[in-house]
């Protein structure tokens, strides 16, 4: 049998460590499985909670905007527009905030055992994705209730939207996770930043309703906008806006690379400072 | 044959932590603003936790790592298990590593015993198939099969420990790294664990690296010892030679700081005895003795000898003096005296302790050391409780329990 040889040296250079992540792939599963299991054991409402929150918000926004301040959402009915926005937004914000806290949360384990550290924020994102799937099922049911028309041709966009939001959340989450270990007071700014991001996302209003092209392009830097543009494509039947998608894609890739790079650069010292 | 563990010039430097264990962004910003206004910043103080470590451990060798607290034992193990990177040098590890720096890493109170076996096992590097294959053996070894499907929060701490150790004992790595995990738990289960580890390392030719204060466990498990002192290797070789060297060092007054007194006497050494043997570990409920040797620099009367025993938090848990026996000594110039203090029974709970020693004359300190040497108290058959002592318990009272029936009720 071939011997595993491990080299230990001071940190230098940069690598993704994909091979090692693959070796430890089962740990992704176990951490995610634990988080889901614990979450649903601890709360009485369990899965219902992941569903009720966006539904309640949907009702509030629909009430507010359909009566007082009608917004043109094209072929998509407003409640469906908001609900689709909310489940994608929740996926992003849950994934980012949980991944951001994850390293501090796992400090005890980090100090006692080695495994590729990216697994920790990674499994936080997967846990948020599980909640998203629950929300998605409800969303599809609501599409039927509201007799929302859909176009199968947009299915590929729909999937691309989910992939973009996952990648962006993973990138931002790992960046935040590393930052939180290094600077312990940064976490207090996270809720404010997320709030800001929420209002710059086309969750409750469509980006098209913004008149100024420069502002629209600026807001497109927020990856949630590209994700929603794609996610809603099968509902509206319209072609997603190229500008929004391309700017969002570029910023997603930047966030992802910056997040992973910063994380990998600092992770060697997590056990010393966590 | 190539070594299983090959360490070259390994060193680890830590910044000397002053106030906060972590950095606040707030402070970074305010400090850099200050430095901007007032240039000329001072360099951060650093210290070497490990330095110039060179070590070759061959496959199948079972090596104990000993040394005082802060000697770098755990840091070395953390570097080899890749938890923290070295600052200098490198190491090559040949073989699959299983490291056990804590029992029950990642245990979650809400999950059942069975679920925790899978979680803990996979954190320790086992594949799901391997865990499934060993599941029955693990549950059987743990002795908690009745509760295996109840949440871990309903387990006693002893049961959790058994379960955790059962998982760890069934890791089958080629190189096993173990840190002081046996310091907790009851004597019976410790014996079982040591037996299992002996079985693993001796009979299957695995390489073992074992950090412990428990020299007895090191003796029974290992066939070689590394002795670390202030981050450097002081000795590496056969068990008896190195342990003797270590005990010699901790009982002699050389390299000891914090000496105090007017210098009328000089303490030469202080040894810890269990029976006739010099040791650094004592057994709960059994007798032990300190033997202190000192030389008088002048003619003295009314000499008193005393000691404190401190726990790891620095609290003095007990104190004894020759005055308790109404004894005082006399000495003439350059006379060397040996004083033996026999403790009838060690009644402080298992753990690591240190001893302060003092020689006084007419109530004035002549020579004394705080934190002179460390020793550990190990659980014994005097306390057969299954879960060990709760952490806040300081003393042990040897008690005879009996039940008196009230026949006339």
């Amino acid at each position: 049998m071939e011997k595993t040889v491990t080299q230990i040296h001071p940190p230098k250079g940069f690598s993704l460590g994909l091979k090692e992540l693959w070796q430890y792939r089962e740990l992704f599963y176990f951490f995610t499985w634990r988080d889901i299991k614990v979450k649903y054991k601890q709360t009485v409402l369990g899965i219902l909670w992941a569903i009720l929150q966006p539904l309640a918000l949907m009702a509030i926004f629909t009430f507010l905007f359909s009566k007082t301040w009608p917004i043109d959402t094209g072929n998509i009915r407003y409640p469906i527009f908001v609900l689709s926005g909310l489940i994608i937004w929740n996926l992003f914000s849950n994934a980012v905030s949980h991944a951001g806290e994850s390293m501090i949360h796992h400090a005890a384990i980090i100090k006692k055992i080695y495994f590729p550290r990216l697994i920790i924020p990674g499994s936080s994102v997967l846990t948020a994705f599980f909640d998203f799937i629950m929300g998605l099922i409800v969303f599809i049911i609501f599409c039927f209730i509201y007799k929302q028309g859909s176009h199968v041709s947009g299915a590929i966009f729909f999937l691309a939207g989910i992939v973009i939001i996952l990648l962006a959340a993973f990138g931002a989450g790992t960046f935040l996770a590393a930052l939180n270990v290094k600077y312990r007071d940064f976490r207090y700014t996270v809720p404010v930043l997320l709030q800001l991001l929420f209002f710059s996302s086309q969750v409750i209003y469509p980006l098209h309703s913004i008149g100024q092209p420069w502002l629209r392009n600026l807001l497109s830097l927020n990856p949630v906008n590209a994700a929603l543009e794609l996610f809603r494509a099968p509902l509206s039947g319209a072609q997603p806006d190229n500008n929004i998608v391309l700017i969002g894609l570029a910023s997603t890739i930047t966030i992802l690379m910056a997040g992973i790079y910063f994380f990998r650069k600092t992770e060697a010292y997590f056990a010393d400072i966590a | 044959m190539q070594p299983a563990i090959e360490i070259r010039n390994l060193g680890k430097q830590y910044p000397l932590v002053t106030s906060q264990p972590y950095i606040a962004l707030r402070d970074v910003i305010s400090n850099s603003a200050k430095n901007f206004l007032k240039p000329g910043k001072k360099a951060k103080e650093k210290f070497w936790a490990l330095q110039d470590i060179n070590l070759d451990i061959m496959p199948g060798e079972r090596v104990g790592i000993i040394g005082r607290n802060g000697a770098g034992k755990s840091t070395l193990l953390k570097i080899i298990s890749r938890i923290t990177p070295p600052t200098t040098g490198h190491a090559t590890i040949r073989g699959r590593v299983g490291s056990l720096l804590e029992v029950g890493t990642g245990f979650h109170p809400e999950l059942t015993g069975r679920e925790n076996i899978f979680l803990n096992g996979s954190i320790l590097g086992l594949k799901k198939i391997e865990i499934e294959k060993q599941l029955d053996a693990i549950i059987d070894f743990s002795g908690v099969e009745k509760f295996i499907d109840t949440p871990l929060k309903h387990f006693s701490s002893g049961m959790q420990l058994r379960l955790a150790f059962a998982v760890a004992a069934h890791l089958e790595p080629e190189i096993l790294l173990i840190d002081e995990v046996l310091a907790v738990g009851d004597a019976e289960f410790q014996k079982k664990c040591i037996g299992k580890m002996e079985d693993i390392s001796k009979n299957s030719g695995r390489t073992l690296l074992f950090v412990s204060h428990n020299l007895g466990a090191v003796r029974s498990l290992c066939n070689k010892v590394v002795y670390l002192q202030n981050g450097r290797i002081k000795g590496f070789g056969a068990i008896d030679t190195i342990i003797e060297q270590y005990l010699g060092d901790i009982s002699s007054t050389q390299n000891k700081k914090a000496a105090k007194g007017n210098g009328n006497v000089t303490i030469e050494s202080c040894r810890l005895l269990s029976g006739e043997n010099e040791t650094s570990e004592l057994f709960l409920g059994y007798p032990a003795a300190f033997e202190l040797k000192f030389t008088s620099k002048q003619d003295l009367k009314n000499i008193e000898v005393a000691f404190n025993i401190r726990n790891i938090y620095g609290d003095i848990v007990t104190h004894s003096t020759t005055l308790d026996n109404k004894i005082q000594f006399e000495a003439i110039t350059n006379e060397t005296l040996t004083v033996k203090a026999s403790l009838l029974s060690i009644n402080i709970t298992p753990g690591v302790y240190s001893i302060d020693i003092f020689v006084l004359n007419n109530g004035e300190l002549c020579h004394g050391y705080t934190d002179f040497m460390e020793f550990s108290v190990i659980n014994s058959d005097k306390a057969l409780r299954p879960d060990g002592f709760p952490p806040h318990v300081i003393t042990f009272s040897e008690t005879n329990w009996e039940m008196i029936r009230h026949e006339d009720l």
Side-chain angles (χ1 to χ4, degrees), chain A residues 3 10 29 37 41 49 85-86 94-95 142 144 160 166 168-169 179-180 193 195 206 219 230 242 248 256 260 271:
Chain A
K3 275 257 160 82
Y29 164 76
K37 199 136 194 171
K41 268 185 184 175
W49 195 239
L86 285 170
N94 285 340
F142 269 76
F144 281 109
L166 284 175
L179 209 59
N180 270 336
L193 292 179
Q195 197 84 61
L219 293 183
L230 291 162
N242 273 340
L256 184 66
I260 293 176

Side-chain angles (χ1 to χ4, degrees), chain A residues 123-141:
Chain A
S123 69
S124 299
V125 174
L126 280 186
T127 308
F129 184 63
F130 179 82
D131 282 348
F132 168 77
I133 298 292
M134 297 297 125
L136 188 64
I137 293 168
V138 175
F139 172 71
I140 291 168
I141 293 170

Side-chain angles (χ1 to χ4, degrees), chain A residues 4 6 8 20 26 37 185 272, chain B residues 25 84 91 93 95 115 128:
Chain A
T4 355
T6 316
I8 296 170
E20 211 177 35
E26 282 188 354
K37 199 136 194 171
D185 54 349
D272 296 344
Chain B
L25 192 60
T84 186
I93 316 291
E115 288 165 344
K128 195 165 174 237

Side-chain angles (χ1 to χ4, degrees), chain A residues 170-187:
Chain A
F170 182 66
T174 50
F175 191 83
L176 210 56
L179 209 59
N180 270 336
V181 175
K182 218 169 167 190
Y183 305 111
R184 208 59 68 87
D185 54 349
F186 190 78
R187 60 203 294 194

Side-chain angles (χ1 to χ4, degrees), chain A residues 1-11 20 22-27 29-35 37-39 41-42 105-106 108-117 179-186 188-189 267-274, chain B residues 10 12-14 21-28 59 78-97 99-102 105-108 110-112 115-116 118-119 122-129 131 151 174 179:
Chain A
M1 201 176 79
E2 201 188 325
K3 275 257 160 82
T4 355
V5 177
T6 316
Q7 296 290 349
I8 296 170
H9 43 70
E20 211 177 35
W22 180 247
Q23 277 170 4
Y24 278 86
R25 62 192 178 277
E26 282 188 354
L27 204 49
Y29 164 76
F30 275 113
F31 276 145
T32 310
W33 165 83
R34 174 202 59 189
D35 287 347
K37 199 136 194 171
V38 167
K39 193 168 165 187
K41 268 185 184 175
Q42 274 173 337
H105 216 80
H106 287 83
I109 298 180
I110 292 169
K111 284 183 200 171
K112 293 296 180 191
I113 193 96
Y114 174 80
F115 51 84
R117 304 306 191 202
L179 209 59
N180 270 336
V181 175
K182 218 169 167 190
Y183 305 111
R184 208 59 68 87
D185 54 349
F186 190 78
Y188 304 115
T189 62
E267 72 169 356
Y269 299 100
F270 285 166
D272 296 344
I273 54 180
Chain B
L10 205 72
K12 174 79 181 175
Q13 194 181 42
Y14 282 112
Y22 56 85
I23 317 163
L25 192 60
R26 177 192 66 221
D27 296 341
V28 174
K78 277 188 176 177
I79 293 175
I80 298 175
S81 50
R82 296 207 287 161
I83 292 166
T84 186
T87 312
T88 60
H90 65 95
T92 307
I93 316 291
R94 298 187 181 88
R96 190 176 143 186
V97 176
S99 72
L100 197 54
L101 272 60
E102 176 189 64
T105 307
F107 263 12
H108 200 290
E110 295 289 338
L111 299 178
T112 68
E115 288 165 344
N116 269 300
F118 279 94
L119 182 62
S122 77
I123 290 174
L124 292 174
L126 287 174
K127 294 260 173 293
K128 195 165 174 237
I129 317 167
I131 303 172
E174 291 149 305
D179 190 7

Side-chain angles (χ1 to χ4, degrees), chain B residues 50-87:
Chain B
L50 277 181
Q51 226 173 341
D52 300 328
I53 303 294
N54 285 289
L55 205 57
D56 280 331
I57 294 168
M58 301 307 287
E61 280 188 332
R62 307 184 305 279
V63 180
I65 304 179
I66 59 172
R68 290 183 60 130
N69 272 353
K73 306 186 295 285
S74 296
T75 307
L76 181 59
L77 217 54
K78 277 188 176 177
I79 293 175
I80 298 175
S81 50
R82 296 207 287 161
I83 292 166
T84 186
T87 312

Side-chain angles (χ1 to χ4, degrees), chain B residues 190-245:
Chain B
Q190 266 188 28
K191 234 182 256 169
K192 194 173 166 186
C193 293
I194 291 189
K196 176 78 186 173
M197 292 199 320
E198 272 184 272
D199 200 40
I200 291 172
S201 55
K202 284 188 185 164
N203 303 336
S204 52
R206 269 175 249 260
T207 313
L208 174 74
L209 215 56
F210 179 49
V211 165
S212 185
H213 273 100
N214 184 340
L215 296 181
V218 170
R219 269 185 221 275
S220 69
L221 269 180
C222 306
N223 56 7
K224 262 184 160 180
V225 179
V226 176
Y227 167 22
L228 289 177
Q229 193 183 51
N230 300 326
R232 291 169 189 272
I233 292 180
K234 185 83 186 291
F236 177 45
I239 294 198
D240 291 330
T241 335
I242 304 295
I243 288 185
E244 199 177 307
Q245 184 192 4

